[in-house]
Structure formats: structure tokens, C-alpha cells
Amino acid sequence: MSTVLQKIEAAVSYIKNLYKATPIVGIVLGSGLGSFTSEINIEQEIPYSEIPNFPVSTVEGHSGKLILGELGGKKVVAMAGRFHYYEGYSVEEVVFPIRVMKYLGIQTLLISNAAGGMQKGFKVGDLMIITDHISQLTINPLIGKNEAAFGARFPDMSEPYKKYLIAKVKNIAVEAAFELKQGVYIGVTGPTFETRAEYKMLATLGGDAVGMSTVQEVIAAVHMGLPVFAMSVITDLGIRDEENTITHEEVLQAAKDAEPKLTHIFKELVAQL
Ligand code: HPA
């Protein structure tokens, strides 16, 4: 068995020892979006630091634990805090928890993030369904020897965000009278926010939102055949007229303000899975 499979197996057996049920949905919570976990009927919490081979989260706004329990009548596992490449983790470490959740038994992955908006008409606080992504400006997590147990050497990426999940979310939004945006997410390494020229470049490349997470997680999930839905909270505007700056604090505050809507959508989506 390869070392990555052994590492996953050790993490999975540690978690299974503490939590016997099989979660069917995995949820990754982005910056400022962690209080979503209060919706979960928590049955087990495991700090990342206790799970064998798990990296440990360091960024403010990420509490760093795995939460297992029930949401919308389904067993779920949620990551409160994720791992970013800019923190110095290898790409293999960034996607490690996604692989662990797959081996725990999840059948669907829901991802949230905070992102900078670039599409005309976007406002701070908007929610954007990610319909597609551009990963070329960050590091692909599948570089290196392919692990055949996960998936193919050259995975198809024609539908990384499943249309049937997007359709469900659009219905949920109509029923709740929420306005949703949709668009392409560009993944970058960070940790700098973009210059004005870079935001313009990213918009020209076809991006509607930009962020420092998600695409590597999605690539690892798609590699393993895991259906993904992802949503960005637009926390700042890259293409803007004013001379304002962008701070991490503002990003966290904007995410907090938008959180109740995102929570409603994820909760309803889980109930429908
Ligand atoms: N750029 C990159 N990542 C981000 C941004 C941004 O403007 N906002 C939140 N995450």
C-alpha cells in the first residue's frame, strides 16, 4: 500500500473508532463561515491536532476541527477550518482531509469559501454558485505519481461542479426568495490579495470570483469520483472604482453577514440528498 493510502487509513480508523456512523455528506467551511456548524446536531468533535497525519490549521477564523453529526436528517462530516497552500502546506496536505472524508464514506462534497468578486454587478455579500473553475494559477494536487486507488492519471474535468446539485440549489434559492449569482472561480495561491492590475487580468481570463482555496480540494474530489457543489461568498470587490484597500477583517465580516443565507442553502441541500 502506498504511503498516502496508509496515512489516510490511519486517520480514517482513528475517526471511525470515535464515531461509528457513516457520514454521507462532507462539508468544507470557508473563512468566516464556521458558525454554520451550530446547525449540526453534533455527535463528535475531533480537533485536527488529534487525528493522525492531519495538518493543523493556523489562520484566524479557522477553528481547526472535524465535526461529525446530523444535519437535515443526514449524517455529515464538516471541516471547521481548511488548509491553504499559502500557509506552507504541500498540496498533498491541502487535499488530505478531502481524501479522508471520501474514505469515511461521503458521497457528496459541499464547499464554501470567501472570494473576491470581479463580475460586473457583484456586490459584497452576494452568494455565487461556482459553475466552473480555473486552476492553472495554483498548484495541481495530482502532480506526482498517480494513486490509481483514487482515480485516473488524467481525470476528466468537464463537469467539476455537478449540474444536478446546482439545479437543486437554484430551486432552494427560488423558494427562499434569495438572489444567487453564478460564475467561474479562479484559484490563486495568495496570500496577497490581488493588485488592481491582477484583478483585471483575472476577469479578462474569464474569472467572476477569485480565492485562495477550493480548486485543489475540488480536483482531488473529482479525481475520486466525488460529486461536488461549491459556493462563494463575495467578501470584497476586486474591480472597483474607489481607492479602498482590502483587509482580512473585512473579508471575515462580509462572510459572517452572508452566512445565514449560505447556511439555509447548505442545510436544505443536505436534506435533499
Ligand atoms: N482575492 C483572493 N482571495 C480572496 C479574496 C480576494 O479578493 N477575497 C477573499 N479571498
Side-chain angles (χ1 to χ4, degrees), residues 11-156:
V12 167
S13 70
Y14 181 86
I15 297 162
K16 278 191 182 292
N17 213 20
L18 293 174
Y19 188 70
K20 307 293 176 204
T22 299
I24 62 154
V25 184
I27 303 166
V28 183
L29 301 166
S31 299
L33 299 167
S35 66
F36 172 78
T37 55
S38 61
E39 294 293 321
I40 299 173
N41 177 17
I42 298 175
E43 291 161 343
Q44 185 73 48
E45 282 189 343
I46 314 176
Y48 293 154
S49 55
E50 291 177 9
I51 306 172
N53 308 314
F54 244 64
V56 176
S57 182
T58 57
V59 182
E60 194 186 328
H62 295 255
S63 57
K65 59 190 173 190
L66 212 56
I67 291 170
L68 298 121
E70 205 170 86
L71 176 75
K74 307 276 160 46
K75 297 291 183 192
V76 301
V77 53
M79 286 178 67
R82 56 145 66 93
F83 303 98
H84 303 85
Y85 185 66
Y86 64 75
E87 292 175 88
Y89 300 111
S90 66
V91 271
E92 191 174 290
E93 287 176 308
V94 168
V95 302
F96 184 77
I98 307 297
R99 290 175 169 158
V100 167
M101 290 195 290
K102 164 75 177 166
Y103 277 78
L104 275 175
I106 66 165
Q107 294 161 25
T108 309
L109 179 66
L110 312 186
I111 295 183
S112 62
N113 61 51
M118 299 180 298
Q119 192 187 107
K120 234 178 150 65
F122 273 12
K123 302 179 300 299
V124 168
D126 278 346
L127 294 179
M128 185 188 92
I129 294 172
I130 302 181
T131 53
D132 206 347
H133 74 215
I134 293 174
S135 71
Q136 307 296 322
L137 298 176
T138 186
I139 312 297
N140 194 302
L142 306 185
I143 289 173
K145 184 181 172 297
N146 185 52
E147 185 53 69
F150 296 151
R153 169 73 293 188
F154 301 107
D156 173 70

Side-chain angles (χ1 to χ4, degrees), residues 114-116 193-194 199 210-212 235-236 251:
F193 290 119
E194 289 65 34
Y199 282 119
V210 54
M212 307 173 195
T235 54
D236 53 273
V251 166

